[in-house]
Amino acid sequence: MPSADNPRRSERSRAAILQATQELIRELPYGKISIEGIAARAKVGKQTIYRWWRSKGALVVDALHEQNAAGAQEAMALPDTGDLAADMRLVLRATVDEFTSPDFEPLFRALSIESLQDPALQQQIVERIYRPQFEFVAARFRSAQDAGQVRPDADLAVAFELFMAPMFYRWQSGAHPLTHDHADAVVDLAMRALAP
Amino acid sequence: MPSADNPRRSERSRAAILQATQELIRELPYGKISIEGIAARAKVGKQTIYRWWRSKGALVVDALHEQNAAGAQEAMALPDTGDLAADMRLVLRATVDEFTSPDFEPLFRALSIESLQDPALQQQIVERIYRPQFEFVAARFRSAQDAGQVRPDADLAVAFELFMAPMFYRWQSGAHPLTHDHADAVVDLAMRALAP
């Protein structure tokens, strides 16, 4: 296949495949999306996809990663106004917006489904998505510890989960609405739990 | 099909289908399980399954529900020793045990995958699994409010998530280990957050 060995043409195919994946995830229930469907939308052969990705799940990780990268690495850094509660309210309200956004939510749903089905992919998600995000949060928490707003002995992974897990759980369970008011309530409780 | 109209034979088929579902979920990655495979294991025709269940997901909800029922409704009631922190440590340690148990974890994983793929099923899970469990927890929290261990104005759904969501998130993300020590740390933080 000489075409796939042409770097410019390869790059175009790769971008078309990732875009087709993002589009289809927004348009269809995840179970209805196949590698065949992605290939047809991207106007490439199935074998071109399998040349770069071992599964639909691996493709979803790259599609989300690219969307995040487009939204910019710097967006992952947390605001630092000196007031952790105010900053975390912004972060958790933005999380609510993402979990209720037609652009973001379907991709996140696809990622969660694939992660539950494929332990190797789950570990890739931890390395490529969870850890970089956690590092930014941990840096913000350390600055709050220096400011006397968080106990110096707090476990920062547990502290991160204290803010983020309730948002995630509420989204996934569907038992109660995800709103900005709810985000604020979670921040109040988490701050109380972490106070020196 | 006269056989399916014989109530005793129907009941035997139904039980065989649910047991085959539970067994296969423990044996195979969830994506490898099909209605055909369940029918073969249960020694029934595919059409017998579709007579009672509209999808693999609906079957998974009943399979988990039956396993819980076998484990008994009373197991859902929370201990009440008068010390909420001690009682929640027991509950969260038991949750860790379930999330790491080869009997329970694969069923819970299957349920999470199906719930993310099917909004109607998600709502069924809320009604049949989440709400009954929440009612037991809320009853225990109200007793802790009476005992002055939880703020009287606490939102009990948010309080429930404060304990449970970190366990769930840690299980699903796979970023950090789920241990009894972690359960204890979550209880300490949640109690601090909810203290009057």
Side-chain angles (χ1 to χ4, degrees):
Chain A
M1 288 190 299
S3 68
D5 292 323
N6 173 329
R8 205 146 56 182
R9 179 138 180 201
S10 272
E11 192 38 55
R12 269 205 306 275
S13 296
R14 202 177 169 279
I17 292 163
L18 288 173
Q19 194 187 330
T21 305
Q22 292 175 349
E23 286 173 10
L24 287 171
I25 285 175
R26 292 193 192 106
E27 291 169 21
L28 294 177
Y30 189 64
K32 303 272 186 235
I33 299 171
S34 62
I35 294 283
E36 286 82 353
I38 294 169
R41 173 73 62 105
K43 299 191 174 57
V44 302
K46 235 174 100 161
Q47 73 287 357
T48 305
I49 296 184
Y50 281 119
R51 202 181 160 130
W52 290 313
W53 291 280
R54 70 177 171 89
S55 67
K56 193 170 78 161
L59 195 41
V60 169
V61 175
D62 277 354
L64 184 73
H65 204 258
E66 177 160 289
Q67 176 160 322
N68 277 345
Q73 186 73 2
E74 64 265 26
M76 292 179 83
L78 267 61
D80 190 349
T81 64
D83 178 347
L84 182 65
D87 294 345
M88 291 308 291
R89 270 194 290 275
L90 285 179
V91 171
L92 262 59
R93 284 170 174 218
T95 303
V96 169
D97 295 343
E98 284 190 330
F99 275 138
T100 53
S101 145
D103 271 349
F104 176 87
E105 199 269 356
L107 266 165
F108 194 67
R109 182 173 295 271
L111 198 71
S112 299
I113 293 165
E114 289 289 353
S115 158
L116 282 163
Q117 301 203 76
D118 181 346
L121 200 72
Q122 184 195 45
Q123 280 313 303
Q124 235 192 77
I125 293 167
V126 168
E127 296 309 327
R128 292 182 56 193
I129 298 175
Y130 174 92
R131 293 223 192 281
Q133 195 194 351
F134 173 67
E135 284 313 316
F136 281 109
V137 175
R140 181 65 191 88
F141 285 171
R142 279 189 289 268
S143 136
Q145 285 177 316
D146 293 342
Q149 293 168 7
V150 166
R151 268 186 298 148
D153 64 339
D155 177 320
L156 299 189
V158 177
F160 171 65
E161 291 164 353
L162 200 59
F163 288 96
M164 210 46 87
M167 315 311 292
F168 184 83
Y169 183 82
R170 193 165 270 226
W171 166 70
Q172 184 154 342
S173 75
H176 302 284
L178 255 182
T179 63
H180 284 191
D181 280 352
H182 176 252
D184 293 353
V186 169
V187 171
D188 285 352
L189 287 167
M191 290 302 299
R192 217 184 279 260
L194 296 171
Chain B
M1 289 190 301
S3 69
D5 291 324
N6 174 329
R8 204 146 55 183
R9 179 137 180 201
S10 273
E11 193 38 55
R12 269 205 306 274
S13 296
R14 203 178 167 278
I17 292 164
L18 288 173
Q19 194 187 330
T21 305
Q22 292 176 348
E23 286 174 9
L24 287 171
I25 285 175
R26 292 192 194 108
E27 292 169 20
L28 295 176
Y30 188 63
K32 304 270 184 236
I33 300 171
S34 63
I35 294 283
E36 286 82 353
I38 295 169
R41 173 75 60 105
K43 299 190 172 63
V44 302
K46 236 174 101 161
Q47 73 286 358
T48 305
I49 295 184
Y50 281 119
R51 201 181 161 131
W52 290 312
W53 292 280
R54 70 178 171 87
S55 66
K56 193 169 79 161
L59 194 41
V60 169
V61 175
D62 278 353
L64 184 72
H65 205 258
E66 177 160 289
Q67 176 161 321
N68 277 345
Q73 186 73 1
E74 65 264 25
M76 292 180 83
L78 267 61
D80 190 349
T81 63
D83 177 347
L84 182 65
D87 293 345
M88 292 308 292
R89 270 194 291 274
L90 284 180
V91 171
L92 262 60
R93 284 171 174 218
T95 303
V96 169
D97 294 343
E98 284 189 331
F99 274 137
T100 52
S101 144
D103 271 349
F104 176 87
E105 200 268 357
L107 266 164
F108 194 66
R109 181 173 295 271
L111 198 72
S112 299
I113 292 166
E114 290 289 354
S115 159
L116 282 163
Q117 301 204 74
D118 181 345
L121 199 73
Q122 184 194 45
Q123 280 313 304
Q124 235 192 77
I125 294 168
V126 168
E127 297 309 327
R128 292 181 57 193
I129 298 175
Y130 175 91
R131 293 221 191 282
Q133 194 194 351
F134 174 66
E135 284 314 316
F136 281 109
V137 175
R140 181 64 191 86
F141 285 171
R142 279 189 289 268
S143 136
Q145 286 176 315
D146 294 343
Q149 292 168 7
V150 167
R151 268 186 298 148
D153 63 341
D155 178 321
L156 299 189
V158 178
F160 172 65
E161 291 164 353
L162 200 59
F163 286 97
M164 210 46 87
M167 314 312 292
F168 184 83
Y169 183 82
R170 193 164 270 226
W171 166 70
Q172 184 154 340
S173 76
H176 302 282
L178 255 182
T179 62
H180 283 192
D181 280 352
H182 176 252
D184 293 353
V186 168
V187 171
D188 284 351
L189 286 166
M191 290 303 298
R192 215 184 280 258
L194 296 171

